[in-house]
Amino acid sequence: MARTVLSLTGPDRIDFLQDLVTNDIRDPDRATWAALLTPQGKYMVDFFVTHDGEALLIDVDESLAQGLLQRLTLYRLRRKLEIETTELKVSRGTGPAPEGAYPDPRHPDLGWRRIDREGTDDGTDWDDLRVRLTVPRSNVELVPNDSYPLEMGFERLNGVDFRKGCYVGQEVTARMKHKTELKKGLVTVEVDGEAPVGTPIEVGGKVAGTLFTQSNGRGLAWLRFDRSGPGMSAGPARVSYVA
């Protein structure tokens, strides 16, 4: 796990980020998982937000950090705030939480996270845990400019707040919530065999979805529910899903 920690400081830091992301980040006593979307409502980057005195700390996948920094700088305009990359690291685990750690806000079984200067990990099999809990990962299941947050489980995983007001991509997300029934989404499937991450899932000659992370005979898959059913395969692997 390679993570980068960004720091937002200045009097406008909270209102600035609150206006951009899918979740309510104003509570100083809890961590928040949120995403920045495109104006079309597609996923761009997800991250954790914590309050640290007069700063907001953003815990983001290292591969997406520079893009997030550039995007936040673009949106800053005349806001009174500074955005910087820090030398801080992220520790995490599922055992007893150390001092200064916070619960992972997505699911109780995902354990704890802590921003520090060590960057330790207790050896949890995170892929296996994510597959079991149907939790997507940045740049794996969550594909920038392609994934929609509700299809990827953001509501179930406490990553979106429908009462917080406007944010980038809010109109599309709200419409998917209130006016349509999701016909596609991320699910945990049974997998007999193995296939590379990103392998198309096919059934009856038609593409029914995509297979991603796999562990211990299960996998995360994005499926079109109207096409999923018996006989699905992903390359050499057989895939089955029961709604």
Side-chain angles (χ1 to χ4, degrees):
M1 178 193 70
R3 308 289 293 182
T4 295
V5 179
L6 305 180
S7 171
L8 272 64
T9 56
D12 291 344
R13 66 190 184 281
I14 295 175
D15 289 342
F16 167 74
L17 197 60
Q18 177 76 2
D19 290 345
L20 294 178
V21 301
T22 58
N23 216 340
D24 189 333
I25 55 88
R26 295 173 297 179
D27 188 345
D29 296 324
R30 68 180 180 91
T32 306
W33 184 54
L36 182 63
L37 308 181
T38 69
Q40 295 76 33
K42 292 185 178 182
Y43 166 87
M44 185 179 298
V45 54
D46 66 298
F47 43 81
F48 299 89
V49 180
T50 55
H51 293 246
D52 182 32
E54 297 301 311
L56 290 178
L57 298 181
I58 296 178
D59 160 9
V60 61
D61 188 285
E62 183 180 68
S63 66
L64 299 175
Q66 185 60 35
L68 175 60
L69 180 62
Q70 293 173 349
R71 182 64 59 168
L72 293 178
T73 301
L74 177 67
Y75 282 132
R76 181 175 56 182
L77 299 176
R78 298 180 182 271
R79 299 278 192 142
K80 296 178 180 178
L81 76 152
E82 296 295 327
I83 309 168
E84 299 177 325
T85 301
T86 76
E87 297 298 319
L88 295 169
K89 301 182 183 300
V90 177
S91 297
R92 61 177 181 169
T94 52
E99 183 178 357
Y102 59 85
D104 190 309
R106 297 172 296 176
H107 192 285
D109 290 352
L110 287 170
W112 53 267
R113 306 176 74 89
R114 185 177 70 173
I115 293 176
D116 52 36
R117 297 191 177 277
E118 300 171 359
T120 60
D121 191 303
D122 72 351
T124 294
D125 186 337
W126 295 104
D127 278 348
D128 188 70
L129 188 56
R130 288 194 309 104
V131 169
R132 178 168 64 84
L133 300 176
T134 321
V135 176
R137 178 178 173 180
S138 313
N139 260 352
V140 182
E141 290 80 23
L142 292 171
V143 181
N145 299 304
D146 184 74
S147 303
Y148 285 101
L150 296 192
E151 291 182 357
M152 305 309 286
F154 268 72
E155 183 176 10
R156 174 178 55 84
L157 296 169
N158 306 311
V160 60
D161 187 327
F162 292 100
R163 299 170 296 178
K164 71 173 290 282
C166 293
Y167 54 87
V168 178
Q170 182 264 345
E171 183 177 352
V172 175
T173 305
R175 186 163 62 246
M176 291 182 71
K177 163 68 174 175
H178 297 294
K179 295 186 178 181
T180 63
E181 179 180 354
L182 291 179
K183 298 180 180 179
K184 311 167 188 174
L186 188 72
V187 297
T188 295
V189 295
E190 299 294 325
V191 182
D192 182 5
E194 294 183 3
V197 170
T199 299
I201 296 173
E202 299 182 350
V203 59
K206 296 182 178 180
V207 175
T210 306
L211 182 63
F212 293 103
T213 304
Q214 300 144 65
S215 178
N216 293 321
R218 295 173 296 189
L220 291 178
W222 178 85
L223 287 181
R224 292 184 54 165
F225 300 132
D226 61 337
R227 292 186 180 178
S228 64
M232 291 189 298
S233 63
R238 290 176 294 188
V239 178
S240 58
Y241 166 66
V242 179

